[in-house]
Amino acid sequence: MSSRSFLTKRWMYEDEEAAEEFKISSFVTMVQDCYRIGVPYSSQGHVQRFDVFMVEKWPLIQAFALEGIGGGSFFTMKYKLMDMSEKLWKVYNRLDPVSLENLLTEDLVNFEKQWTGFFSSMDLESHLSILELSEAQAGEAFRTYYSHGLISSNITDKSKSQQPFVLFGKHSSSEDLEAYSFNFPSESHQVRNTGLEGSAARHMILQCVAPKGPLACSRTYFFGTTHSPYLGNPNTAQKNTDVLLLSQIYSAAVQAVLSGIKCYSFTSSATKAQDVAENTFLVLLDSMDLSQYRSSLRSKCEFGIQAVNMEGRIIPLTDGDSRYVVKTASMTVRDIPDLRGGRGALGSVVFSESFLESGINIQQKDGTVSSDSCYTILTTSVPRYACWLMESDFKQSEQAQHLAKNEEGTCVGRALTAADAAYVISSSLLSAPEEGKIVFLSEGLLFIHPQHGSITLSKDHISSIKFYDPQDCGGVASLLVEYDSGLLPHLPFPLRSAERCLLFALQPRSKSHRAFYSKVLSVWKKSDSGLNLQMVEEKHLSWNQKNMHTRLQKLHDSQEPPVAKRRGSLKTSYCQLPEQDMFLQHFALSSIGGEPILYDHLQVLFTSAELKEPVNSHGDKVVITIITGLPGSHKKRLCDFLVQLNKEHGRWLVYRPGPDPRGGFSASDLQQYMSGLLESPRGLGPKPRLLVLSPGYTDVLEVVQAVLLHPDPVVQACFAIGAVTACVDPLASCVEHRFALPKLLEQCSQGMVSAVVFTGGPGEQKNPLVQHVQQLVRSANPTAAFILAEGGAVTRNEDVNLIFSESSFGEPQMLRARYVLYPGWCKGRFSGGCGCLVLSQQRVAFSRPLERLLFVPGCKALKSSLRPSPYRGNVYNVWGKLQFSDSEQLMEVSYNTLSGSLCVVPDRGPDPVTPGASCFLVFDGVGLTEDGLKDWLRLCAKQKQKKKPKNTKNSLSPQDIRSIHRARHLEPLPPGYFYNGHQYVDIFGEKLSFHPYMEEFIQEYLAEANKEVELFNRQLELQGQPDLFDP
């Protein structure tokens, strides 16, 4: 599509009809050189048969046939149309940083809401009513979410992995999974009757799927707990229940999936990931003393990775587009046998996560290229483990809670505080921050969880207690309890970890936090308490302990306003994904392609979110400041002003490229100039600075690449770019209809330019065109500083320091933007291309002075002679050096046709291109010819005297004839005539107004006058008149 925009705003076109006509004419111009045109005919998910006659009915296409405005014929007869829908869908399905942000802030939020709704409905059930719960009731939230989302979708894929389900107990067998359909959920399968031999179910498997998106995850949750609260009996053994067995197998599946995801992210091999996942599963069975299940479950565990596009369709992993889509890794362990009781199969367990991987190439210092990968699990905020109390579990929990109410001594001592809110977490992969109520006792503590029930920790099982309080107003206090193996039977399965440490978090300013300091700390610090309490600092915490504290701190911060209001239901995701910021930075670079990143830039690119000012490390290098801008932007004046302003602060060198016949930039000329500076006998001297002026219509990236990629490594190492500044005169930036001149936005590009200097006058700020250009530049570079400098004169010291910054070009946000926006820039492999409007330069030299009174009006007349599209013959800028006939001094002139700005000042030095040349002008425009420009210049010089033509009777005017008659009317008359004072009368009375010899008088007059003409012409030939362009 053309970059010409359809501007229909009423402030630009007061006549709405004129705006519509402009739309049509712009469309006609846009397609006039085309033969084949692609049309996005179908929207994704709603495939329609491509029909060119339906396209012909579109209003803009119909208007194309209008005589005088449109093309004058039917659009579909003049052009060949093709359907581009499927190719565009591939573009839409590919994740980039923007679509990933939408996925996280919109799709993921809606996905998590379904799980929130599921838990809300489950929490309404008591330990008695939960037995009556059916699969249809439990899965209502997932089923509604999925089916309602499909109403507006045309997706027909109903594969089992792409539909939601909820299955209880033994009803989760392979056969049931294969036969399940979400459209026909079961009301008869309830918790009470889906266990072994008609007993209550011990677990459920469930899956939630986004109807029109890539997100999906499955979980296995449990009915009943895996622990018995400690009530003082030291010989309590671990429950050998079905819930514990299923939890252990499920835990092995969870770790297997996570290891498979990690392997796939680093190898991109689904086969290797499957091998790693299945091996991890079997090894973990052995580590949990479940070796007897190894042989029977080896063939029943299935691991797989699927790539899912943005429409929820599964695509092959071998497809090249699969690299940039979300993937789902899952493991299903089918038909788990009851080897202990021999009662048949317990059912299946499932676990899956949606994840996204990112990979970048890194070029090492020796030139070799290596890869770096990372991943993020998008659905990690969905709890990996959950359980609900059954009747027996509820009774045991009630017994434990009576310990806190017993005023006499118990196995955990007497209660020191009432039950107040707190959080608990462990380093287990199944553990997430769980909210409950904590009761501090003199010889331990009691934690009451709504799902796990009561958890008692006695001093008999506690090895040590560490208390870490950041002592700031928003810091979460962490109570870290390290325990021995005797506590394992009394601890819920998801809280068990290899480190054997639990972290209880006390929110700042909460009742539990205040009560700990006022009632608990003094008791636990006593030597006879047996609790070994230590007050520690952060440096004394292990890596896992710091990680747990950080997750809880992030959870607290996400619930504090205004963050909670801003992030909404994503707050849990933020607290559980501390690496997400780093992944987003990584993914932003990997999503642009396979161009390598320099090793030296890694530390800057992957910093914390708070970008810090880098330390200036240029040393003795020559710092280059690049000034860029379109012709007429006053960039040369800005350069001269800055050099004059700062000439006392160091040695200033200025590179001013000469006019190029093609109007382009010569990287080799700049590189030769840089080499010449080092080879100069005078040397560079102490701390030199180099100002580089880029040619008019040049992409600033070309200049940057020329500096950074100098072919001589020695020269390359002696120079560094400090800052890039763009000059913009809004009134000299656009042709008709606000069509921007080529390279305007490229010269203000984000990641390259740190400051944009607007050089127009202060009275122009309310001009709609000025406001439009400023908004356009701001959209192209949101981070650039805007500086107002009329005619290039910067008045504030802060602005001067910003332009001469030695570090802004290397700031982390600038470097990151360059890698994202210009892949391959650091190796010189990025090309900005040319604009749709091609401008060229013509340099015309001459040796004679011009007439000031002719040159100035001639320049002003260029604006009125501007032509509409295709703009051929238009002159947009004039610059050069010349003499006027009224002065012997060489003058520098510049005129911009669009803004009407004319500047004539005495020249300060010789022409840098051709020293000693007298006069020249450089013209910027479209389709300019040298002959045409010379003809225009001749009109501005003293005009040649032309030869006079010979006079003839026909060339004499009536006034000339009367003058001849007046001079000779008294000449002698022929015989028979007399003069009566007014007329000549013959003998017959005929009267004449002129003398009878008037014809002879005229011939004599012509002969005399032609003698003078011949003399003048002869003298003119002898003198000779040189042309303006003669040497």
Side-chain angles (χ1 to χ4, degrees):
M1 296 291 286
S2 168
S3 61
R4 179 195 300 272
S5 58
F6 294 154
L7 303 177
T8 58
K9 294 185 178 180
R10 294 299 297 272
W11 48 260
M12 183 170 181
Y13 293 101
E14 296 182 1
D15 185 353
E16 190 171 338
E17 185 175 346
E20 295 300 321
E21 290 182 4
F22 174 65
K23 271 189 191 178
I24 300 167
S25 62
S26 298
F27 177 67
V28 172
T29 304
M30 182 176 68
V31 300
Q32 64 183 358
D33 296 326
C34 300
Y35 166 71
R36 181 178 299 171
I37 296 177
V39 179
Y41 190 76
S42 301
S43 61
Q44 195 165 5
H46 294 271
V47 181
Q48 303 178 50
R49 186 177 63 84
F50 185 60
D51 187 351
V52 294
F53 296 105
M54 291 299 297
V55 175
E56 192 67 61
K57 293 181 179 180
W58 295 355
L60 187 62
I61 303 301
Q62 286 182 328
F64 182 86
L66 293 176
E67 292 288 345
I69 303 176
S73 64
F74 288 106
F75 187 80
T76 53
M77 293 178 64
K78 189 171 183 179
Y79 301 105
K80 182 177 181 180
L81 303 186
M82 57 186 299
D83 189 6
M84 299 294 294
S85 302
E86 291 189 10
K87 292 184 178 180
L88 287 174
W89 296 346
K90 290 184 178 180
V91 177
Y92 301 152
N93 280 320
R94 177 170 170 165
L95 274 176
D96 56 26
V98 175
S99 56
L100 176 58
E101 182 180 357
N102 293 334
L103 179 68
L104 294 174
T105 57
E106 296 177 11
D107 297 353
L108 183 58
V109 171
N110 290 330
F111 186 81
E112 289 174 342
K113 284 180 180 178
Q114 313 315 312
W115 286 95
T116 302
F118 165 77
F119 283 110
S120 298
S121 64
M122 292 295 294
D123 290 342
L124 294 176
E125 305 292 339
S126 68
H127 62 281
L128 297 176
S129 64
I130 198 169
L131 294 172
E132 308 301 324
L133 185 68
S134 69
E135 292 176 349
Q137 292 172 320
E140 177 66 24
F142 299 156
R143 192 169 59 255
T144 303
Y145 169 58
Y146 186 75
S147 59
H148 285 191
L150 290 182
I151 292 176
S152 59
S153 173
N154 201 30
I155 297 176
T156 58
D157 186 3
K158 295 294 188 297
S159 63
K160 299 301 181 294
S161 60
Q162 284 297 108
Q163 64 173 341
F165 59 77
V166 174
L167 297 171
F168 291 164
K170 66 178 183 179
H171 189 235
S172 60
S173 65
S174 298
E175 182 180 349
D176 297 318
L177 281 170
E178 293 294 333
Y180 183 82
S181 173
F182 80 95
N183 287 314
F184 303 100
S186 174
E187 293 282 358
S188 60
H189 291 91
Q190 299 174 316
V191 175
R192 68 163 56 253
N193 59 19
T194 49
L196 292 176
E197 300 177 343
S199 62
R202 294 291 179 257
H203 77 295
M204 71 163 81
I205 62 172
L206 59 165
Q207 176 171 269
C208 181
V209 178
K212 291 189 295 183
L215 298 174
C217 75
S218 56
R219 296 288 188 265
T220 300
Y221 293 153
F222 302 93
F223 300 112
T225 64
T226 58
H227 76 291
S228 299
Y230 178 68
L231 301 176
N233 184 359
N235 298 320
T236 304
Q238 172 67 60
K239 285 183 179 180
N240 288 320
T241 63
D242 295 337
V243 175
L244 178 61
L245 171 64
L246 292 169
S247 295
Q248 290 173 318
I249 296 175
Y250 174 64
S251 173
V254 170
Q255 296 184 60
V257 169
L258 298 180
S259 63
I261 291 175
K262 183 176 181 180
C263 177
Y264 181 83
S265 299
F266 285 93
T267 64
S268 298
S269 171
T271 303
K272 291 181 179 179
Q274 181 178 0
D275 293 341
V276 168
E278 292 178 353
N279 185 63
T280 300
F281 176 74
L282 297 175
V283 169
L284 288 171
L285 290 181
D286 292 338
S287 68
M288 291 184 286
D289 297 328
L290 297 177
S291 300
Q292 67 272 29
Y293 283 89
R294 182 185 178 97
S295 58
S296 60
L297 296 183
R298 179 191 293 272
S299 60
K300 296 182 179 181
C301 67
E302 299 175 2
F303 175 83
I305 295 178
Q306 293 178 328
V308 188
N309 66 18
M310 294 299 288
E311 286 296 309
R313 294 177 180 267
I314 297 174
I315 62 176
L317 285 174
T318 54
D319 192 330
D321 295 327
S322 67
R323 177 185 174 190
Y324 301 102
V325 299
V326 174
K327 297 171 184 66
T328 302
S330 63
M331 175 169 278
T332 303
V333 185
R334 300 175 181 268
D335 303 328
I336 300 171
D338 178 22
L339 298 181
R340 294 168 180 168
R343 295 170 294 171
L346 297 170
S348 306
V349 299
V350 299
F351 178 76
S352 68
E353 296 277 27
S354 289
F355 71 97
L356 184 64
E357 82 274 19
S358 172
I360 59 176
N361 294 323
I362 301 173
Q363 181 168 326
Q364 304 294 333
K365 294 182 178 181
D366 60 0
T368 59
V369 177
S370 60
S371 62
D372 179 77
S373 301
C374 69
Y375 64 93
T376 185
I377 299 176
L378 301 173
T379 51
T380 190
S381 61
V382 178
R384 290 175 179 160
Y385 191 99
C387 65
W388 289 270
L389 298 177
M390 305 302 282
E391 185 174 3
S392 59
D393 304 313
F394 181 78
K395 290 179 179 179
Q396 286 185 335
S397 179
E398 286 287 314
Q399 292 178 8
Q401 292 178 36
H402 282 303
L403 297 176
K405 301 175 182 177
N406 195 338
E407 296 181 359
E408 300 178 0
T410 64
C411 59
V412 287
R414 57 185 176 84
L416 300 178
T417 65
D420 292 317
Y423 283 87
V424 65
I425 191 176
S426 78
S427 58
S428 167
L429 292 175
L430 299 179
S431 177
E434 302 280 359
E435 186 175 6
K437 292 190 176 183
I438 193 170
V439 179
F440 292 103
L441 301 110
S442 59
E443 298 179 9
L445 57 86
L446 169 67
F447 189 83
I448 306 170
H449 189 273
Q451 290 184 353
H452 297 297
S454 300
I455 306 169
T456 51
L457 282 80
S458 169
K459 66 178 182 179
D460 298 334
H461 301 132
I462 296 175
S463 303
S464 66
I465 300 179
K466 298 177 182 178
F467 186 69
Y468 166 60
D469 193 346
Q471 296 296 332
D472 57 48
C473 58
V476 172
S478 294
L479 187 69
L480 296 116
V481 180
E482 297 178 355
Y483 56 88
D484 57 30
S485 60
L487 182 65
L488 293 178
H490 312 292
L491 193 62
F493 184 79
L495 292 178
R496 302 174 189 177
S497 64
E499 195 177 34
R500 293 184 181 177
C501 178
L502 294 176
L503 187 149
F504 296 92
L506 310 179
Q507 305 278 22
R509 302 179 300 276
S510 64
K511 289 183 179 179
S512 57
H513 186 262
R514 294 194 299 267
F516 182 82
Y517 275 100
S518 61
K519 300 178 180 180
V520 181
L521 192 58
S522 59
V523 176
W524 282 11
K525 275 191 171 183
K526 292 179 180 179
S527 58
D528 58 352
S529 67
L531 291 173
N532 191 21
L533 175 64
Q534 305 173 48
M535 307 293 287
V536 298
E537 299 179 358
E538 185 178 11
K539 63 183 179 181
H540 297 124
L541 303 180
S542 68
W543 185 89
N544 277 333
Q545 292 171 345
K546 289 179 181 178
N547 186 43
M548 289 189 291
H549 174 80
T550 300
R551 291 177 66 182
L552 286 163
Q553 183 65 55
K554 285 182 175 288
L555 175 62
H556 169 73
D557 294 342
S558 68
Q559 294 174 336
E560 288 288 303
V563 178
K565 182 177 181 180
R566 182 171 67 250
R567 290 178 176 167
S569 59
L570 259 186
K571 59 181 181 290
T572 308
S573 299
Y574 274 80
C575 78
Q576 295 198 4
L577 284 179
E579 79 286 354
Q580 191 176 79
D581 289 339
M582 180 66 72
F583 176 81
L584 292 176
Q585 295 176 24
H586 199 283
F587 183 79
L589 297 174
S590 71
S591 63
I592 59 176
E595 290 292 344
I597 294 172
L598 297 183
Y599 177 82
D600 293 338
H601 292 164
L602 287 180
Q603 186 176 1
V604 179
L605 289 171
F606 296 107
T607 55
S608 63
E610 298 178 1
L611 301 175
K612 300 178 181 179
E613 188 76 16
V615 179
N616 179 22
S617 58
H618 294 323
D620 295 331
K621 292 184 178 182
V622 178
V623 178
I624 297 177
T625 299
I626 300 175
I627 307 292
T628 185
L630 298 177
S633 62
H634 307 291
K635 61 183 175 183
K636 185 177 180 300
R637 290 193 206 172
L638 174 65
C639 179
D640 294 339
F641 179 82
L642 293 174
V643 172
Q644 183 67 23
L645 185 67
N646 294 273
K647 63 182 180 180
E648 297 180 359
H649 299 285
R651 184 183 173 198
W652 289 92
L653 305 169
V654 181
Y655 171 75
R656 291 186 174 94
D660 186 86
R662 299 162 299 171
F665 167 70
S666 174
S668 60
D669 287 348
L670 175 57
Q671 291 168 349
Q672 289 175 8
Y673 179 84
M674 295 166 61
S675 300
L677 291 180
L678 296 182
E679 296 169 359
S680 172
R682 296 171 53 192
L684 290 174
K687 200 62 177 175
R689 296 290 298 267
L690 175 60
L691 271 173
V692 173
L693 278 179
S694 70
Y697 304 100
T698 301
D699 192 333
V700 67
L701 180 59
E702 296 181 39
V703 183
V704 169
Q705 290 182 145
V707 172
L708 298 180
L709 300 173
H710 194 286
D712 187 342
V714 176
V715 178
Q716 185 183 125
C718 293
F719 292 87
I721 298 176
V724 181
T725 300
C727 293
V728 176
D729 183 353
L731 297 183
S733 300
C734 301
V735 297
E736 64 171 355
H737 305 302
R738 304 191 176 186
F739 185 24
L741 287 170
K743 302 301 180 181
L744 170 65
L745 298 184
E746 286 86 344
Q747 292 184 352
C748 303
S749 53
Q750 185 179 4
M752 296 288 172
V753 176
S754 56
V756 178
V757 179
F758 289 95
T759 56
E764 300 172 357
Q765 292 304 309
K766 294 184 179 180
N767 187 314
L769 179 59
V770 174
Q771 296 175 357
H772 167 76
V773 172
Q774 289 180 345
Q775 292 173 0
L776 192 64
V777 172
R778 177 56 73 200
S779 65
N781 193 339
T783 60
F786 280 8
I787 299 172
L788 298 180
E790 182 179 2
V794 182
T795 56
R796 301 194 317 162
N797 290 333
E798 297 88 342
D799 296 337
V800 175
N801 294 335
L802 185 62
I803 294 172
F804 284 127
S805 170
E806 296 186 6
S807 58
S808 66
F809 186 77
E811 289 177 352
Q813 64 267 37
M814 297 281 284
L815 185 61
R816 190 173 299 115
R818 288 197 289 277
Y819 273 108
V820 172
L821 297 174
Y822 320 107
W825 70 275
C826 59
K827 305 301 294 181
R829 290 198 285 260
F830 185 86
S831 175
C834 61
C836 55
L837 182 63
V838 180
L839 279 83
S840 60
Q841 278 189 349
Q842 286 281 354
R843 186 179 190 274
V844 181
F846 50 97
S847 56
R848 300 190 178 277
L850 301 182
E851 297 295 322
R852 191 188 299 265
L853 296 179
L854 296 176
F855 178 77
V856 173
C859 288
K860 300 292 185 182
L862 289 175
K863 186 167 187 176
S864 60
S865 66
L866 292 177
R867 302 182 182 126
S869 178
Y871 314 107
R872 188 166 184 82
N874 287 354
V875 175
Y876 292 112
N877 197 78
V878 181
W879 173 82
K881 299 179 181 182
L882 52 81
Q883 278 185 308
F884 289 117
S885 59
D886 58 0
S887 173
E888 294 183 356
Q889 188 173 12
L890 193 65
M891 309 296 287
E892 181 178 339
V893 299
S894 61
Y895 174 71
N896 186 270
T897 309
L898 296 171
S899 64
S901 171
L902 175 64
C903 179
V904 181
V905 295
D907 179 40
R908 297 181 181 177
D911 173 18
V913 182
T914 54
S918 53
C919 304
F920 72 92
L921 286 178
V922 178
F923 297 85
D924 292 284
V926 179
L928 302 181
T929 62
E930 185 176 6
D931 291 340
L933 296 174
K934 285 184 175 181
D935 291 341
W936 181 84
L937 277 173
R938 288 188 181 99
L939 298 177
C940 300
K942 185 177 181 180
Q943 300 302 298
K944 279 186 176 182
Q945 287 184 313
K946 298 181 180 179
K947 288 185 177 181
K948 294 181 180 179
K950 287 188 177 181
N951 296 309
T952 63
K953 183 178 180 180
N954 292 334
S955 65
L956 296 178
S957 65
Q959 185 178 357
D960 293 334
I961 293 176
R962 286 194 295 271
S963 298
I964 296 171
H965 179 263
R966 191 180 306 113
R968 304 190 66 173
H969 73 285
L970 298 179
E971 290 286 325
L973 296 170
Y977 281 86
F978 69 92
Y979 180 60
N980 62 11
H982 295 285
Q983 291 177 320
Y984 299 92
V985 184
D986 62 8
I987 59 175
F988 300 106
E990 294 291 335
K991 298 178 180 178
L992 300 174
S993 297
F994 291 101
H995 194 285
Y997 294 138
M998 188 63 186
E999 287 296 327
E1000 297 177 10
F1001 297 159
I1002 290 175
Q1003 292 301 322
E1004 292 175 2
Y1005 172 81
L1006 290 174
E1008 189 67 27
N1010 286 335
K1011 286 181 181 180
E1012 295 179 4
V1013 170
E1014 290 175 358
L1015 178 62
F1016 176 82
N1017 290 342
R1018 193 161 45 249
Q1019 291 176 346
L1020 200 61
E1021 290 177 356
L1022 293 174
Q1023 291 177 357
Q1025 295 190 81
D1027 185 71
L1028 181 65
F1029 303 99
D1030 289 343

